[in-house]
mmCIF file of all heavy atoms in Angstrom:
data_model
loop_
_atom_site.group_PDB
_atom_site.id
_atom_site.type_symbol
_atom_site.label_atom_id
_atom_site.label_comp_id
_atom_site.label_asym_id
_atom_site.label_seq_id
_atom_site.Cartn_x
_atom_site.Cartn_y
_atom_site.Cartn_z
ATOM 1 N N ASN A 52 -82.527 -10.053 -123.317
ATOM 2 C CA ASN A 52 -82.907 -10.553 -121.994
ATOM 3 C C ASN A 52 -81.727 -11.190 -121.266
ATOM 4 O O ASN A 52 -81.581 -11.039 -120.051
ATOM 5 C CB ASN A 52 -84.077 -11.541 -122.104
ATOM 6 C CG ASN A 52 -85.393 -10.819 -122.253
ATOM 7 O OD1 ASN A 52 -85.551 -9.686 -121.825
ATOM 8 N ND2 ASN A 52 -86.347 -11.490 -122.873
ATOM 9 N N LEU A 53 -80.875 -11.883 -122.003
ATOM 10 C CA LEU A 53 -79.680 -12.462 -121.398
ATOM 11 C C LEU A 53 -78.786 -11.357 -120.835
ATOM 12 O O LEU A 53 -78.304 -11.447 -119.699
ATOM 13 C CB LEU A 53 -78.916 -13.294 -122.425
ATOM 14 C CG LEU A 53 -77.643 -13.966 -121.939
ATOM 15 C CD1 LEU A 53 -77.943 -14.988 -120.852
ATOM 16 C CD2 LEU A 53 -76.914 -14.622 -123.106
ATOM 17 N N CYS A 54 -78.588 -10.300 -121.602
ATOM 18 C CA CYS A 54 -77.763 -9.173 -121.145
ATOM 19 C C CYS A 54 -78.389 -8.491 -119.928
ATOM 20 O O CYS A 54 -77.676 -8.114 -118.983
ATOM 21 C CB CYS A 54 -77.531 -8.182 -122.274
ATOM 22 S SG CYS A 54 -76.443 -8.837 -123.561
ATOM 23 N N ARG A 55 -79.699 -8.352 -119.924
ATOM 24 C CA ARG A 55 -80.375 -7.756 -118.756
ATOM 25 C C ARG A 55 -80.201 -8.631 -117.518
ATOM 26 O O ARG A 55 -79.952 -8.130 -116.422
ATOM 27 C CB ARG A 55 -81.859 -7.560 -119.060
ATOM 28 C CG ARG A 55 -82.129 -6.432 -120.016
ATOM 29 C CD ARG A 55 -83.628 -6.233 -120.260
ATOM 30 N NE ARG A 55 -83.828 -5.153 -121.186
ATOM 31 C CZ ARG A 55 -84.285 -5.292 -122.418
ATOM 32 N NH1 ARG A 55 -84.641 -6.483 -122.865
ATOM 33 N NH2 ARG A 55 -84.420 -4.246 -123.218
ATOM 34 N N LEU A 56 -80.340 -9.921 -117.705
ATOM 35 C CA LEU A 56 -80.191 -10.857 -116.588
ATOM 36 C C LEU A 56 -78.767 -10.808 -116.026
ATOM 37 O O LEU A 56 -78.566 -10.726 -114.811
ATOM 38 C CB LEU A 56 -80.535 -12.268 -117.068
ATOM 39 C CG LEU A 56 -80.614 -13.368 -116.040
ATOM 40 C CD1 LEU A 56 -81.701 -13.094 -115.010
ATOM 41 C CD2 LEU A 56 -80.888 -14.706 -116.737
ATOM 42 N N ILE A 57 -77.798 -10.812 -116.908
ATOM 43 C CA ILE A 57 -76.391 -10.734 -116.473
ATOM 44 C C ILE A 57 -76.137 -9.412 -115.755
ATOM 45 O O ILE A 57 -75.462 -9.374 -114.719
ATOM 46 C CB ILE A 57 -75.439 -10.895 -117.686
ATOM 47 C CG1 ILE A 57 -75.515 -12.332 -118.217
ATOM 48 C CG2 ILE A 57 -74.015 -10.526 -117.313
ATOM 49 C CD1 ILE A 57 -74.862 -12.519 -119.573
ATOM 50 N N THR A 58 -76.674 -8.333 -116.282
ATOM 51 C CA THR A 58 -76.507 -7.025 -115.640
ATOM 52 C C THR A 58 -77.073 -7.043 -114.229
ATOM 53 O O THR A 58 -76.449 -6.532 -113.297
ATOM 54 C CB THR A 58 -77.170 -5.921 -116.483
ATOM 55 O OG1 THR A 58 -76.539 -5.902 -117.772
ATOM 56 C CG2 THR A 58 -77.032 -4.560 -115.825
ATOM 57 N N ARG A 59 -78.246 -7.644 -114.053
ATOM 58 C CA ARG A 59 -78.844 -7.743 -112.710
ATOM 59 C C ARG A 59 -77.917 -8.488 -111.752
ATOM 60 O O ARG A 59 -77.738 -8.074 -110.610
ATOM 61 C CB ARG A 59 -80.200 -8.458 -112.768
ATOM 62 C CG ARG A 59 -81.275 -7.769 -113.577
ATOM 63 C CD ARG A 59 -81.736 -6.488 -112.927
ATOM 64 N NE ARG A 59 -82.318 -6.721 -111.634
ATOM 65 C CZ ARG A 59 -83.555 -6.449 -111.286
ATOM 66 N NH1 ARG A 59 -84.373 -5.918 -112.170
ATOM 67 N NH2 ARG A 59 -83.984 -6.673 -110.072
ATOM 68 N N THR A 60 -77.323 -9.583 -112.226
ATOM 69 C CA THR A 60 -76.429 -10.345 -111.351
ATOM 70 C C THR A 60 -75.179 -9.538 -111.010
ATOM 71 O O THR A 60 -74.703 -9.588 -109.881
ATOM 72 C CB THR A 60 -76.012 -11.693 -111.984
ATOM 73 O OG1 THR A 60 -75.155 -11.476 -113.097
ATOM 74 C CG2 THR A 60 -77.206 -12.526 -112.385
ATOM 75 N N LYS A 61 -74.670 -8.800 -111.978
ATOM 76 C CA LYS A 61 -73.459 -7.992 -111.745
ATOM 77 C C LYS A 61 -73.737 -6.861 -110.770
ATOM 78 O O LYS A 61 -72.913 -6.565 -109.903
ATOM 79 C CB LYS A 61 -72.920 -7.416 -113.058
ATOM 80 C CG LYS A 61 -72.486 -8.440 -114.051
ATOM 81 C CD LYS A 61 -71.232 -9.138 -113.619
ATOM 82 C CE LYS A 61 -70.765 -10.062 -114.729
ATOM 83 N NZ LYS A 61 -69.526 -10.723 -114.402
ATOM 84 N N LEU A 62 -74.884 -6.216 -110.902
ATOM 85 C CA LEU A 62 -75.228 -5.128 -109.974
ATOM 86 C C LEU A 62 -75.356 -5.652 -108.549
ATOM 87 O O LEU A 62 -74.923 -5.013 -107.600
ATOM 88 C CB LEU A 62 -76.515 -4.439 -110.419
ATOM 89 C CG LEU A 62 -76.409 -3.620 -111.700
ATOM 90 C CD1 LEU A 62 -77.786 -3.129 -112.134
ATOM 91 C CD2 LEU A 62 -75.457 -2.445 -111.517
ATOM 92 N N ARG A 63 -75.948 -6.818 -108.386
ATOM 93 C CA ARG A 63 -76.076 -7.422 -107.059
ATOM 94 C C ARG A 63 -74.697 -7.793 -106.504
ATOM 95 O O ARG A 63 -74.402 -7.586 -105.347
ATOM 96 C CB ARG A 63 -76.945 -8.681 -107.140
ATOM 97 C CG ARG A 63 -77.110 -9.377 -105.801
ATOM 98 C CD ARG A 63 -78.001 -10.610 -105.876
ATOM 99 N NE ARG A 63 -79.345 -10.228 -106.275
ATOM 100 C CZ ARG A 63 -79.899 -10.533 -107.444
ATOM 101 N NH1 ARG A 63 -79.235 -11.223 -108.335
ATOM 102 N NH2 ARG A 63 -81.119 -10.143 -107.731
ATOM 103 N N PHE A 64 -73.846 -8.310 -107.359
ATOM 104 C CA PHE A 64 -72.513 -8.764 -106.979
ATOM 105 C C PHE A 64 -71.644 -7.596 -106.507
ATOM 106 O O PHE A 64 -70.880 -7.723 -105.574
ATOM 107 C CB PHE A 64 -71.865 -9.466 -108.177
ATOM 108 C CG PHE A 64 -70.463 -9.943 -107.949
ATOM 109 C CD1 PHE A 64 -70.196 -10.908 -107.007
ATOM 110 C CD2 PHE A 64 -69.420 -9.429 -108.688
ATOM 111 C CE1 PHE A 64 -68.901 -11.367 -106.804
ATOM 112 C CE2 PHE A 64 -68.124 -9.877 -108.498
ATOM 113 C CZ PHE A 64 -67.869 -10.860 -107.553
ATOM 114 N N GLU A 65 -71.772 -6.447 -107.159
ATOM 115 C CA GLU A 65 -70.917 -5.306 -106.846
ATOM 116 C C GLU A 65 -71.440 -4.460 -105.698
ATOM 117 O O GLU A 65 -70.773 -3.541 -105.255
ATOM 118 C CB GLU A 65 -70.724 -4.452 -108.103
ATOM 119 C CG GLU A 65 -69.911 -5.187 -109.147
ATOM 120 C CD GLU A 65 -69.738 -4.413 -110.431
ATOM 121 O OE1 GLU A 65 -70.200 -3.271 -110.513
ATOM 122 O OE2 GLU A 65 -69.134 -4.967 -111.357
ATOM 123 N N ASP A 66 -72.610 -4.782 -105.186
ATOM 124 C CA ASP A 66 -73.202 -4.047 -104.082
ATOM 125 C C ASP A 66 -72.519 -4.469 -102.776
ATOM 126 O O ASP A 66 -72.516 -5.654 -102.440
ATOM 127 C CB ASP A 66 -74.704 -4.333 -104.010
ATOM 128 C CG ASP A 66 -75.434 -3.424 -103.046
ATOM 129 O OD1 ASP A 66 -74.805 -2.496 -102.513
ATOM 130 O OD2 ASP A 66 -76.629 -3.652 -102.833
ATOM 131 N N PRO A 67 -71.904 -3.536 -102.035
ATOM 132 C CA PRO A 67 -71.229 -3.905 -100.783
ATOM 133 C C PRO A 67 -72.204 -4.598 -99.836
ATOM 134 O O PRO A 67 -73.362 -4.252 -99.737
ATOM 135 C CB PRO A 67 -70.771 -2.560 -100.208
ATOM 136 C CG PRO A 67 -70.789 -1.614 -101.351
ATOM 137 C CD PRO A 67 -71.841 -2.108 -102.301
ATOM 138 N N GLY A 68 -71.707 -5.610 -99.150
ATOM 139 C CA GLY A 68 -72.535 -6.337 -98.197
ATOM 140 C C GLY A 68 -73.369 -7.423 -98.835
ATOM 141 O O GLY A 68 -74.109 -8.128 -98.150
ATOM 142 N N LYS A 69 -73.265 -7.593 -100.141
ATOM 143 C CA LYS A 69 -74.025 -8.631 -100.843
ATOM 144 C C LYS A 69 -73.139 -9.860 -101.043
ATOM 145 O O LYS A 69 -71.944 -9.826 -100.789
ATOM 146 C CB LYS A 69 -74.524 -8.106 -102.194
ATOM 147 C CG LYS A 69 -75.519 -6.975 -102.065
ATOM 148 C CD LYS A 69 -76.822 -7.478 -101.480
ATOM 149 C CE LYS A 69 -77.814 -6.330 -101.381
ATOM 150 N NZ LYS A 69 -79.071 -6.700 -100.834
ATOM 151 N N PRO A 70 -73.712 -10.952 -101.527
ATOM 152 C CA PRO A 70 -72.945 -12.193 -101.699
ATOM 153 C C PRO A 70 -71.724 -12.022 -102.596
ATOM 154 O O PRO A 70 -71.681 -11.136 -103.435
ATOM 155 C CB PRO A 70 -73.949 -13.143 -102.356
ATOM 156 C CG PRO A 70 -75.285 -12.549 -102.122
ATOM 157 C CD PRO A 70 -75.089 -11.078 -101.953
ATOM 158 N N GLU A 71 -70.736 -12.916 -102.397
ATOM 159 C CA GLU A 71 -69.498 -12.877 -103.174
ATOM 160 C C GLU A 71 -69.697 -13.259 -104.634
ATOM 161 O O GLU A 71 -69.019 -12.768 -105.503
ATOM 162 C CB GLU A 71 -68.492 -13.867 -102.570
ATOM 163 C CG GLU A 71 -67.467 -13.209 -101.702
ATOM 164 C CD GLU A 71 -66.430 -14.212 -101.254
ATOM 165 O OE1 GLU A 71 -65.856 -14.925 -102.080
ATOM 166 O OE2 GLU A 71 -66.186 -14.265 -100.045
ATOM 167 N N ASN A 72 -70.603 -14.186 -104.898
ATOM 168 C CA ASN A 72 -70.785 -14.704 -106.248
ATOM 169 C C ASN A 72 -72.077 -14.174 -106.872
ATOM 170 O O ASN A 72 -73.124 -14.211 -106.240
ATOM 171 C CB ASN A 72 -70.813 -16.227 -106.223
ATOM 172 C CG ASN A 72 -69.513 -16.795 -105.701
ATOM 173 O OD1 ASN A 72 -68.444 -16.383 -106.129
ATOM 174 N ND2 ASN A 72 -69.591 -17.715 -104.772
ATOM 175 N N PRO A 73 -72.007 -13.729 -108.115
ATOM 176 C CA PRO A 73 -73.216 -13.225 -108.767
ATOM 177 C C PRO A 73 -74.227 -14.343 -108.986
ATOM 178 O O PRO A 73 -73.855 -15.484 -109.250
ATOM 179 C CB PRO A 73 -72.706 -12.683 -110.103
ATOM 180 C CG PRO A 73 -71.364 -13.267 -110.301
ATOM 181 C CD PRO A 73 -70.839 -13.682 -108.981
ATOM 182 N N PHE A 74 -75.504 -14.020 -108.873
ATOM 183 C CA PHE A 74 -76.563 -14.993 -109.114
ATOM 184 C C PHE A 74 -77.833 -14.264 -109.516
ATOM 185 O O PHE A 74 -77.990 -13.078 -109.285
ATOM 186 C CB PHE A 74 -76.825 -15.847 -107.866
ATOM 187 C CG PHE A 74 -77.400 -15.086 -106.710
ATOM 188 C CD1 PHE A 74 -78.773 -14.879 -106.605
ATOM 189 C CD2 PHE A 74 -76.575 -14.553 -105.724
ATOM 190 C CE1 PHE A 74 -79.309 -14.161 -105.541
ATOM 191 C CE2 PHE A 74 -77.102 -13.844 -104.661
ATOM 192 C CZ PHE A 74 -78.474 -13.642 -104.569
ATOM 193 N N ALA A 75 -78.738 -15.007 -110.125
ATOM 194 C CA ALA A 75 -80.054 -14.484 -110.480
ATOM 195 C C ALA A 75 -81.097 -15.242 -109.668
ATOM 196 O O ALA A 75 -80.916 -16.418 -109.355
ATOM 197 C CB ALA A 75 -80.316 -14.658 -111.966
ATOM 198 N N THR A 76 -82.166 -14.565 -109.333
ATOM 199 C CA THR A 76 -83.250 -15.199 -108.577
ATOM 200 C C THR A 76 -84.202 -15.895 -109.559
ATOM 201 O O THR A 76 -84.179 -15.626 -110.758
ATOM 202 C CB THR A 76 -84.044 -14.159 -107.773
ATOM 203 O OG1 THR A 76 -84.702 -13.278 -108.704
ATOM 204 C CG2 THR A 76 -83.136 -13.358 -106.844
ATOM 205 N N GLU A 77 -85.060 -16.761 -109.034
ATOM 206 C CA GLU A 77 -86.062 -17.424 -109.872
ATOM 207 C C GLU A 77 -86.959 -16.412 -110.563
ATOM 208 O O GLU A 77 -87.297 -16.571 -111.736
ATOM 209 C CB GLU A 77 -86.921 -18.364 -109.018
ATOM 210 C CG GLU A 77 -86.469 -19.782 -109.088
ATOM 211 C CD GLU A 77 -87.410 -20.716 -108.360
ATOM 212 O OE1 GLU A 77 -88.576 -20.851 -108.780
ATOM 213 O OE2 GLU A 77 -86.957 -21.313 -107.377
ATOM 214 N N ASN A 78 -87.330 -15.369 -109.848
ATOM 215 C CA ASN A 78 -88.172 -14.328 -110.437
ATOM 216 C C ASN A 78 -87.467 -13.635 -111.601
ATOM 217 O O ASN A 78 -88.092 -13.297 -112.599
ATOM 218 C CB ASN A 78 -88.593 -13.294 -109.392
ATOM 219 C CG ASN A 78 -89.596 -13.864 -108.405
ATOM 220 O OD1 ASN A 78 -90.257 -14.861 -108.678
ATOM 221 N ND2 ASN A 78 -89.705 -13.226 -107.250
ATOM 222 N N GLU A 79 -86.157 -13.399 -111.467
ATOM 223 C CA GLU A 79 -85.405 -12.759 -112.551
ATOM 224 C C GLU A 79 -85.306 -13.683 -113.764
ATOM 225 O O GLU A 79 -85.458 -13.230 -114.901
ATOM 226 C CB GLU A 79 -84.019 -12.339 -112.062
ATOM 227 C CG GLU A 79 -84.081 -11.175 -111.100
ATOM 228 C CD GLU A 79 -82.780 -10.918 -110.366
ATOM 229 O OE1 GLU A 79 -81.933 -11.838 -110.248
ATOM 230 O OE2 GLU A 79 -82.609 -9.785 -109.891
ATOM 231 N N PHE A 80 -85.061 -14.967 -113.527
ATOM 232 C CA PHE A 80 -85.033 -15.903 -114.652
ATOM 233 C C PHE A 80 -86.370 -15.885 -115.376
ATOM 234 O O PHE A 80 -86.423 -15.836 -116.601
ATOM 235 C CB PHE A 80 -84.699 -17.327 -114.192
ATOM 236 C CG PHE A 80 -83.245 -17.560 -113.915
ATOM 237 C CD1 PHE A 80 -82.797 -17.775 -112.628
ATOM 238 C CD2 PHE A 80 -82.316 -17.574 -114.945
ATOM 239 C CE1 PHE A 80 -81.452 -18.002 -112.361
ATOM 240 C CE2 PHE A 80 -80.969 -17.794 -114.703
ATOM 241 C CZ PHE A 80 -80.534 -18.010 -113.401
ATOM 242 N N ALA A 81 -87.463 -15.923 -114.621
ATOM 243 C CA ALA A 81 -88.805 -15.924 -115.219
ATOM 244 C C ALA A 81 -89.069 -14.626 -115.979
ATOM 245 O O ALA A 81 -89.623 -14.641 -117.087
ATOM 246 C CB ALA A 81 -89.858 -16.148 -114.141
ATOM 247 N N LYS A 82 -88.657 -13.511 -115.417
ATOM 248 C CA LYS A 82 -88.893 -12.207 -116.041
ATOM 249 C C LYS A 82 -88.175 -12.077 -117.388
ATOM 250 O O LYS A 82 -88.694 -11.476 -118.324
ATOM 251 C CB LYS A 82 -88.433 -11.095 -115.093
ATOM 252 C CG LYS A 82 -88.637 -9.700 -115.634
ATOM 253 C CD LYS A 82 -88.225 -8.649 -114.620
ATOM 254 C CE LYS A 82 -88.447 -7.252 -115.172
ATOM 255 N NZ LYS A 82 -88.078 -6.216 -114.195
ATOM 256 N N TYR A 83 -86.973 -12.654 -117.478
ATOM 257 C CA TYR A 83 -86.154 -12.505 -118.681
ATOM 258 C C TYR A 83 -86.061 -13.790 -119.514
ATOM 259 O O TYR A 83 -85.161 -13.943 -120.323
ATOM 260 C CB TYR A 83 -84.756 -12.025 -118.295
ATOM 261 C CG TYR A 83 -84.763 -10.689 -117.609
ATOM 262 C CD1 TYR A 83 -84.429 -10.569 -116.267
ATOM 263 C CD2 TYR A 83 -85.140 -9.545 -118.301
ATOM 264 C CE1 TYR A 83 -84.455 -9.329 -115.629
ATOM 265 C CE2 TYR A 83 -85.169 -8.308 -117.678
ATOM 266 C CZ TYR A 83 -84.829 -8.214 -116.346
ATOM 267 O OH TYR A 83 -84.861 -6.992 -115.721
ATOM 268 N N ALA A 84 -87.002 -14.714 -119.353
ATOM 269 C CA ALA A 84 -86.947 -16.010 -120.034
ATOM 270 C C ALA A 84 -87.274 -15.946 -121.524
ATOM 271 O O ALA A 84 -86.829 -16.810 -122.289
ATOM 272 C CB ALA A 84 -87.891 -16.990 -119.346
ATOM 273 N N GLU A 85 -88.008 -14.930 -121.955
ATOM 274 C CA GLU A 85 -88.414 -14.881 -123.360
ATOM 275 C C GLU A 85 -87.200 -14.844 -124.290
ATOM 276 O O GLU A 85 -86.261 -14.076 -124.093
ATOM 277 C CB GLU A 85 -89.282 -13.644 -123.625
ATOM 278 C CG GLU A 85 -89.826 -13.613 -125.039
ATOM 279 C CD GLU A 85 -90.637 -12.371 -125.350
ATOM 280 O OE1 GLU A 85 -90.947 -11.589 -124.426
ATOM 281 O OE2 GLU A 85 -90.955 -12.186 -126.527
ATOM 282 N N GLY A 86 -87.215 -15.716 -125.281
ATOM 283 C CA GLY A 86 -86.131 -15.753 -126.259
ATOM 284 C C GLY A 86 -84.900 -16.517 -125.800
ATOM 285 O O GLY A 86 -83.901 -16.552 -126.500
ATOM 286 N N LEU A 87 -84.979 -17.142 -124.622
ATOM 287 C CA LEU A 87 -83.834 -17.900 -124.110
ATOM 288 C C LEU A 87 -84.115 -19.393 -124.157
ATOM 289 O O LEU A 87 -85.218 -19.844 -123.870
ATOM 290 C CB LEU A 87 -83.518 -17.497 -122.672
ATOM 291 C CG LEU A 87 -82.981 -16.089 -122.466
ATOM 292 C CD1 LEU A 87 -82.790 -15.807 -120.982
ATOM 293 C CD2 LEU A 87 -81.672 -15.897 -123.225
ATOM 294 N N ILE A 88 -83.093 -20.130 -124.500
ATOM 295 C CA ILE A 88 -83.129 -21.588 -124.448
ATOM 296 C C ILE A 88 -82.261 -21.988 -123.266
ATOM 297 O O ILE A 88 -81.166 -21.442 -123.072
ATOM 298 C CB ILE A 88 -82.596 -22.192 -125.754
ATOM 299 C CG1 ILE A 88 -83.572 -21.875 -126.864
ATOM 300 C CG2 ILE A 88 -82.339 -23.677 -125.618
ATOM 301 C CD1 ILE A 88 -83.171 -22.336 -128.219
#
Side-chain angles (χ1 to χ4, degrees):
N52 280 334
L53 180 63
C54 290
R55 287 182 180 111
L56 187 62
I57 291 167
T58 300
R59 297 291 298 242
T60 69
K61 297 290 186 177
L62 291 173
R63 179 179 297 111
F64 178 64
E65 292 178 3
D66 190 6
K69 295 291 181 180
E71 260 186 52
N72 299 313
F74 67 85
T76 65
E77 262 186 65
N78 289 340
E79 289 168 338
F80 282 111
K82 180 177 181 179
Y83 299 112
E85 185 183 350
L87 292 177
I88 292 177

